Amino acid sequence: MKICNTIEEMRAACRAVRRAGKRLGFVPTMGALHEGHLSLVRAAKAGCDVVAASIFVNPTQFGAGEDLAKYPRRFDRDRELLEREGVELVFAPSAEEMYPAGAVTWVTVEGLSDKLDGRSRPGHFRGVATVVAKLFHVVEPDAAFFGQKDAAQVAVIRRMVRDLNFAVEIVACPIVREADGLAMSSRNAYLDGQQRNQALVLHRSLMRVRKLWESGECAAEKLVAAGLKEIAEEESVRLDYFEIVEADSLEPVERAKSGMVVAVAAFVGTTRLIDNILL
Ligand code: PAF
């Protein structure tokens, strides 16, 4: 497995793969890898000849007062996990390499960037879209793999790829959960035992909505009310949003239909967690 720290090295390595006529899959990550990330790598391995991954804690997608400084950084462990999964190329640049002094150019996916997480985290999706665009320019992958857990991120990236004519297929992979339903997240590492239990309410609230929807209830207002009721039962958990939205536009809907996203974000202690289901 080759590790590249500079854009030049990574670009050359990726170009060599493509010149050899191989399909290149790409898994962008911020490290602190878990089974969710590894499922993306496995999907990439299944659909591509060569897999590249990036490990870069992107400062521009963290707001003031968010967890940039304490975000888990476990490069040696991540490298081992990627090597074990058969990843051929890893891009691990420094912040200076990715953002040269004086950089003032941003990618903003207007409208979508202030929905769901974008509403509570102003500037977050500008940072995500910018870094993903930059990574795509360096790697020029045939396909890139993202977790459906960040449903809004998937919508933002799909729209950016369409609007800016990137020649990359975006593949969204299913959420990977712990046995008790908790969606895997690098931020779960912040939770103590009690909070870990409290965090299960996110998944329970989504399951309650799914059950009600499957019993025939389509009114988004009633479905959301059921989800909110479940969240309220865990008093220590502070809700950020609970919405039913179109998967592509992230617009809230009145009638819930198959393919729509039920999305929740909430704080457990100081840790902000997200989860969703596709109806
Ligand atoms: O989903 C993530 O881990 C990040 O938002 C991404 C896509 C790697 C961009 O920094």
Side-chain angles (χ1 to χ4, degrees):
M1 187 174 80
K2 183 176 168 62
I3 297 177
C4 304
N5 299 117
T6 67
I7 290 172
E8 201 184 330
E9 260 181 302
M10 185 65 179
R11 186 168 271 152
C14 293
R15 286 204 170 143
V17 169
R18 279 194 317 281
R19 261 200 310 274
K22 295 192 169 150
R23 182 172 161 83
L24 178 59
F26 178 46
V27 181
T29 81
M30 297 208 300
L33 303 180
H34 50 68
E35 274 301 312
H37 296 110
L38 300 184
S39 77
L40 306 182
V41 170
R42 286 169 200 145
K45 289 292 289 179
C48 302
D49 303 311
V50 172
V51 175
S54 60
I55 299 178
F56 178 60
V57 182
N58 173 36
T60 66
Q61 68 187 77
F62 290 79
E66 290 189 349
D67 56 340
L68 173 62
K70 73 164 183 177
Y71 196 84
R73 287 160 173 87
R74 299 176 181 154
F75 184 74
D76 290 339
R77 182 178 163 274
D78 291 347
R79 190 183 52 194
E80 266 172 40
L81 289 171
L82 293 176
E83 185 144 37
R84 214 177 295 153
E85 293 296 331
V87 168
E88 281 90 349
L89 293 171
V90 173
F91 184 41
S94 64
E96 296 71 30
E97 179 73 7
M98 285 304 278
Y99 294 103
V104 289
T105 307
W106 297 99
V107 178
T108 305
V109 181
E110 288 186 8
L112 285 188
S113 290
D114 45 32
K115 303 232 159 56
L116 298 183
D117 306 278
R119 195 179 313 122
S120 351
R121 303 183 66 192
H124 170 66
F125 285 127
R126 183 179 82 151
V128 170
T130 301
V131 81
V132 172
K134 287 161 76 73
L135 291 167
F136 283 177
H137 282 308
V138 175
V139 176
E140 295 181 272
D142 295 290
F145 298 76
F146 293 87
Q148 178 60 34
K149 183 166 80 69
D150 289 286
Q153 171 168 282
V154 169
V156 166
I157 288 164
R158 280 194 198 286
R159 186 68 67 87
M160 176 190 81
V161 162
R162 191 202 71 169
D163 291 356
L164 298 183
N165 310 103
F166 281 95
V168 55
E169 180 195 350
I170 300 300
V171 182
C173 300
I175 297 176
V176 178
R177 298 182 181 280
E178 305 281 359
D180 56 9
L182 183 68
M184 292 209 183
S185 164
S186 305
R187 291 190 167 96
N188 290 349
Y190 300 150
L191 305 172
D192 63 27
Q194 195 185 10
Q195 291 170 333
R196 166 87 187 51
N197 260 338
Q198 294 163 345
L200 290 172
V201 75
L202 274 77
H203 180 242
R204 272 204 310 276
S205 69
L206 295 171
M207 291 302 97
R208 187 150 165 182
V209 171
R210 184 192 289 292
K211 199 163 167 218
L212 189 57
W213 183 70
E214 283 173 351
S215 76
E217 181 58 70
C218 293
E221 205 183 335
K222 292 208 176 125
L223 293 167
V224 168
L228 292 177
K229 192 156 182 268
E230 186 72 42
I231 297 275
E233 279 163 23
E234 189 59 72
E235 280 174 20
S236 56
V237 170
R238 182 163 58 85
L239 184 75
D240 181 354
Y241 64 72
F242 197 106
E243 286 187 48
I244 304 180
V245 299
E246 292 272 11
D248 295 337
S249 67
L250 305 179
E251 286 293 343
V253 298
E254 284 184 8
R255 310 286 298 166
K257 294 195 190 122
S258 183
M260 288 176 173
V261 181
V262 186
V264 59
F267 288 89
V268 182
T270 54
T271 305
R272 184 173 178 283
L273 297 177
I274 58 174
D275 199 353
N276 70 79
I277 50 168
L278 284 176
L279 291 177

Short mmCIF file of all heavy atoms in Angstrom, two decimals, residues 66-97:
data_model
loop_
_atom_site.label_atom_id
_atom_site.label_comp_id
_atom_site.label_asym_id
_atom_site.label_seq_id
_atom_site.Cartn_x
_atom_site.Cartn_y
_atom_site.Cartn_z
N GLU A 66 -16.65 23.77 17.33
CA GLU A 66 -16.89 22.33 17.08
C GLU A 66 -15.64 21.53 17.46
O GLU A 66 -14.69 22.07 18.02
CB GLU A 66 -17.33 22.12 15.64
CG GLU A 66 -18.74 22.66 15.38
CD GLU A 66 -19.30 22.28 14.02
OE1 GLU A 66 -18.55 21.77 13.15
OE2 GLU A 66 -20.50 22.51 13.82
N ASP A 67 -15.65 20.23 17.11
CA ASP A 67 -14.65 19.32 17.68
C ASP A 67 -13.41 19.08 16.83
O ASP A 67 -12.80 18.01 16.93
CB ASP A 67 -15.35 17.99 18.00
CG ASP A 67 -16.03 17.37 16.78
OD1 ASP A 67 -16.29 18.12 15.82
OD2 ASP A 67 -16.31 16.17 16.79
N LEU A 68 -12.99 20.08 16.03
CA LEU A 68 -11.80 19.88 15.17
C LEU A 68 -10.58 19.43 15.99
O LEU A 68 -9.91 18.46 15.64
CB LEU A 68 -11.49 21.16 14.39
CG LEU A 68 -10.19 21.16 13.60
CD1 LEU A 68 -10.20 20.08 12.52
CD2 LEU A 68 -9.94 22.52 12.95
N ALA A 69 -10.32 20.13 17.10
CA ALA A 69 -9.09 19.85 17.86
C ALA A 69 -9.13 18.45 18.47
O ALA A 69 -8.12 17.76 18.53
CB ALA A 69 -8.90 20.89 18.95
N LYS A 70 -10.33 18.03 18.91
CA LYS A 70 -10.35 16.72 19.60
C LYS A 70 -10.80 15.57 18.69
O LYS A 70 -10.89 14.43 19.14
CB LYS A 70 -11.22 16.80 20.86
CG LYS A 70 -12.70 16.88 20.64
CD LYS A 70 -13.46 16.57 21.95
CE LYS A 70 -14.95 16.57 21.70
NZ LYS A 70 -15.78 16.22 22.80
N TYR A 71 -11.07 15.88 17.40
CA TYR A 71 -11.51 14.81 16.49
C TYR A 71 -10.48 13.67 16.53
O TYR A 71 -9.28 13.93 16.41
CB TYR A 71 -11.68 15.36 15.07
CG TYR A 71 -12.49 14.43 14.20
CD1 TYR A 71 -13.88 14.48 14.23
CD2 TYR A 71 -11.88 13.46 13.42
CE1 TYR A 71 -14.64 13.59 13.48
CE2 TYR A 71 -12.63 12.57 12.66
CZ TYR A 71 -14.01 12.66 12.70
OH TYR A 71 -14.76 11.77 11.96
N PRO A 72 -10.93 12.42 16.70
CA PRO A 72 -9.95 11.34 16.88
C PRO A 72 -9.02 11.18 15.68
O PRO A 72 -9.47 11.16 14.54
CB PRO A 72 -10.81 10.08 17.06
CG PRO A 72 -12.21 10.47 16.72
CD PRO A 72 -12.31 11.95 16.78
N ARG A 73 -7.73 11.12 15.96
CA ARG A 73 -6.72 10.92 14.89
C ARG A 73 -5.95 9.65 15.22
O ARG A 73 -5.29 9.58 16.25
CB ARG A 73 -5.79 12.13 14.82
CG ARG A 73 -6.49 13.37 14.20
CD ARG A 73 -5.77 14.65 14.58
NE ARG A 73 -6.28 15.83 13.90
CZ ARG A 73 -7.30 16.59 14.33
NH1 ARG A 73 -7.96 16.26 15.44
NH2 ARG A 73 -7.68 17.65 13.66
N ARG A 74 -6.09 8.65 14.35
CA ARG A 74 -5.48 7.33 14.64
C ARG A 74 -4.83 6.80 13.39
O ARG A 74 -5.23 5.75 12.86
CB ARG A 74 -6.59 6.36 15.07
CG ARG A 74 -7.30 6.82 16.31
CD ARG A 74 -8.44 5.92 16.66
NE ARG A 74 -9.08 6.45 17.84
CZ ARG A 74 -10.35 6.25 18.15
NH1 ARG A 74 -11.12 5.52 17.36
NH2 ARG A 74 -10.86 6.75 19.24
N PHE A 75 -3.84 7.54 12.91
CA PHE A 75 -3.32 7.23 11.57
C PHE A 75 -2.75 5.82 11.47
O PHE A 75 -3.04 5.10 10.51
CB PHE A 75 -2.27 8.28 11.15
CG PHE A 75 -1.80 8.03 9.76
CD1 PHE A 75 -2.62 8.35 8.67
CD2 PHE A 75 -0.58 7.44 9.51
CE1 PHE A 75 -2.21 8.08 7.37
CE2 PHE A 75 -0.17 7.17 8.21
CZ PHE A 75 -0.98 7.51 7.14
N ASP A 76 -1.97 5.40 12.48
CA ASP A 76 -1.32 4.09 12.36
C ASP A 76 -2.34 2.96 12.30
O ASP A 76 -2.22 2.04 11.49
CB ASP A 76 -0.35 3.86 13.52
CG ASP A 76 0.86 4.79 13.38
OD1 ASP A 76 1.12 5.26 12.25
OD2 ASP A 76 1.52 5.07 14.40
N ARG A 77 -3.36 3.09 13.15
CA ARG A 77 -4.40 2.06 13.16
C ARG A 77 -5.18 2.09 11.84
O ARG A 77 -5.47 1.06 11.23
CB ARG A 77 -5.33 2.32 14.35
CG ARG A 77 -6.42 1.31 14.52
CD ARG A 77 -7.26 1.62 15.76
NE ARG A 77 -8.53 0.90 15.68
CZ ARG A 77 -9.59 1.37 15.07
NH1 ARG A 77 -9.56 2.53 14.46
NH2 ARG A 77 -10.71 0.65 15.05
N ASP A 78 -5.50 3.30 11.37
CA ASP A 78 -6.25 3.44 10.11
C ASP A 78 -5.48 2.81 8.95
O ASP A 78 -6.03 2.12 8.11
CB ASP A 78 -6.51 4.92 9.80
CG ASP A 78 -7.49 5.55 10.77
OD1 ASP A 78 -8.17 4.79 11.51
OD2 ASP A 78 -7.58 6.80 10.81
N ARG A 79 -4.17 3.10 8.95
CA ARG A 79 -3.32 2.59 7.86
C ARG A 79 -3.36 1.05 7.85
O ARG A 79 -3.51 0.42 6.81
CB ARG A 79 -1.90 3.08 8.07
CG ARG A 79 -1.00 2.82 6.90
CD ARG A 79 0.39 3.27 7.17
NE ARG A 79 0.87 2.69 8.42
CZ ARG A 79 1.95 3.09 9.05
NH1 ARG A 79 2.64 4.11 8.60
NH2 ARG A 79 2.35 2.51 10.16
N GLU A 80 -3.26 0.48 9.05
CA GLU A 80 -3.30 -1.00 9.14
C GLU A 80 -4.62 -1.55 8.62
O GLU A 80 -4.66 -2.52 7.88
CB GLU A 80 -3.17 -1.43 10.60
CG GLU A 80 -1.76 -1.74 11.01
CD GLU A 80 -1.67 -1.98 12.50
OE1 GLU A 80 -2.58 -2.63 13.06
OE2 GLU A 80 -0.69 -1.49 13.11
N LEU A 81 -5.73 -0.89 9.03
CA LEU A 81 -7.05 -1.38 8.60
C LEU A 81 -7.18 -1.30 7.08
O LEU A 81 -7.68 -2.23 6.45
CB LEU A 81 -8.16 -0.53 9.26
CG LEU A 81 -8.35 -0.74 10.76
CD1 LEU A 81 -9.31 0.29 11.34
CD2 LEU A 81 -8.88 -2.16 11.03
N LEU A 82 -6.72 -0.20 6.51
CA LEU A 82 -6.84 -0.04 5.05
C LEU A 82 -5.97 -1.05 4.32
O LEU A 82 -6.38 -1.62 3.31
CB LEU A 82 -6.46 1.39 4.65
CG LEU A 82 -7.43 2.48 5.14
CD1 LEU A 82 -6.92 3.87 4.78
CD2 LEU A 82 -8.84 2.28 4.58
N GLU A 83 -4.81 -1.29 4.87
CA GLU A 83 -3.90 -2.26 4.23
C GLU A 83 -4.53 -3.66 4.26
O GLU A 83 -4.54 -4.36 3.26
CB GLU A 83 -2.56 -2.24 4.97
CG GLU A 83 -1.53 -3.13 4.30
CD GLU A 83 -0.12 -2.53 4.37
OE1 GLU A 83 0.21 -1.92 5.41
OE2 GLU A 83 0.62 -2.69 3.39
N ARG A 84 -5.14 -3.97 5.41
CA ARG A 84 -5.78 -5.28 5.55
C ARG A 84 -6.93 -5.46 4.56
O ARG A 84 -7.22 -6.55 4.10
CB ARG A 84 -6.31 -5.41 6.99
CG ARG A 84 -6.23 -6.81 7.51
CD ARG A 84 -6.70 -6.92 8.95
NE ARG A 84 -5.88 -6.21 9.92
CZ ARG A 84 -6.34 -5.74 11.09
NH1 ARG A 84 -7.61 -5.88 11.42
NH2 ARG A 84 -5.54 -5.12 11.92
N GLU A 85 -7.60 -4.36 4.24
CA GLU A 85 -8.73 -4.43 3.29
C GLU A 85 -8.28 -4.42 1.84
O GLU A 85 -9.10 -4.48 0.93
CB GLU A 85 -9.69 -3.24 3.50
CG GLU A 85 -10.42 -3.25 4.83
CD GLU A 85 -11.37 -4.43 5.00
OE1 GLU A 85 -11.91 -4.93 4.00
OE2 GLU A 85 -11.57 -4.85 6.16
N GLY A 86 -6.96 -4.28 1.62
CA GLY A 86 -6.45 -4.34 0.24
C GLY A 86 -6.49 -3.01 -0.49
O GLY A 86 -6.49 -2.97 -1.73
N VAL A 87 -6.53 -1.90 0.26
CA VAL A 87 -6.45 -0.58 -0.37
C VAL A 87 -5.03 -0.40 -0.94
O VAL A 87 -4.05 -0.73 -0.28
CB VAL A 87 -6.77 0.53 0.67
CG1 VAL A 87 -6.42 1.92 0.16
CG2 VAL A 87 -8.25 0.45 1.04
N GLU A 88 -4.96 0.10 -2.16
CA GLU A 88 -3.63 0.23 -2.80
C GLU A 88 -2.99 1.59 -2.55
O GLU A 88 -1.77 1.69 -2.44
CB GLU A 88 -3.74 0.02 -4.31
CG GLU A 88 -3.84 -1.44 -4.73
CD GLU A 88 -5.26 -1.95 -4.81
OE1 GLU A 88 -6.19 -1.25 -4.33
OE2 GLU A 88 -5.45 -3.08 -5.32
N LEU A 89 -3.82 2.65 -2.48
CA LEU A 89 -3.27 4.01 -2.37
C LEU A 89 -3.94 4.77 -1.24
O LEU A 89 -5.18 4.75 -1.13
CB LEU A 89 -3.55 4.80 -3.66
CG LEU A 89 -2.86 4.33 -4.92
CD1 LEU A 89 -3.42 5.08 -6.14
CD2 LEU A 89 -1.35 4.59 -4.80
N VAL A 90 -3.14 5.43 -0.41
CA VAL A 90 -3.72 6.27 0.66
C VAL A 90 -3.17 7.69 0.49
O VAL A 90 -1.95 7.87 0.34
CB VAL A 90 -3.36 5.73 2.06
CG1 VAL A 90 -3.82 6.71 3.14
CG2 VAL A 90 -4.01 4.38 2.29
N PHE A 91 -4.07 8.65 0.51
CA PHE A 91 -3.69 10.05 0.43
C PHE A 91 -3.87 10.64 1.82
O PHE A 91 -4.98 10.65 2.36
CB PHE A 91 -4.59 10.77 -0.59
CG PHE A 91 -4.23 12.21 -0.83
CD1 PHE A 91 -2.91 12.62 -0.92
CD2 PHE A 91 -5.24 13.16 -0.99
CE1 PHE A 91 -2.59 13.96 -1.16
CE2 PHE A 91 -4.93 14.49 -1.24
CZ PHE A 91 -3.60 14.88 -1.32
N ALA A 92 -2.77 11.10 2.42
CA ALA A 92 -2.84 11.66 3.79
C ALA A 92 -2.09 13.00 3.79
O ALA A 92 -0.95 13.07 4.27
CB ALA A 92 -2.22 10.67 4.77
N PRO A 93 -2.71 14.02 3.25
CA PRO A 93 -2.02 15.31 3.15
C PRO A 93 -2.11 16.09 4.45
O PRO A 93 -2.95 15.80 5.31
CB PRO A 93 -2.82 16.04 2.06
CG PRO A 93 -4.23 15.50 2.23
CD PRO A 93 -4.08 14.08 2.70
N SER A 94 -1.25 17.09 4.59
CA SER A 94 -1.38 18.03 5.71
C SER A 94 -2.40 19.10 5.32
O SER A 94 -2.75 19.23 4.14
CB SER A 94 -0.03 18.70 5.98
OG SER A 94 0.30 19.49 4.85
N ALA A 95 -2.84 19.87 6.31
CA ALA A 95 -3.79 20.96 6.03
C ALA A 95 -3.13 21.99 5.10
O ALA A 95 -3.78 22.53 4.20
CB ALA A 95 -4.23 21.61 7.33
N GLU A 96 -1.83 22.22 5.27
CA GLU A 96 -1.11 23.20 4.43
C GLU A 96 -1.05 22.72 2.98
O GLU A 96 -1.10 23.51 2.05
CB GLU A 96 0.32 23.43 4.94
CG GLU A 96 0.41 24.06 6.33
CD GLU A 96 -0.01 23.12 7.46
OE1 GLU A 96 0.16 21.88 7.33
OE2 GLU A 96 -0.53 23.61 8.48
N GLU A 97 -0.93 21.41 2.82
CA GLU A 97 -0.87 20.86 1.46
C GLU A 97 -2.22 21.05 0.76
O GLU A 97 -2.28 21.39 -0.42
CB GLU A 97 -0.51 19.36 1.55
CG GLU A 97 -0.44 18.63 0.22
CD GLU A 97 0.79 19.00 -0.63
OE1 GLU A 97 1.68 19.72 -0.12
OE2 GLU A 97 0.83 18.57 -1.79
#
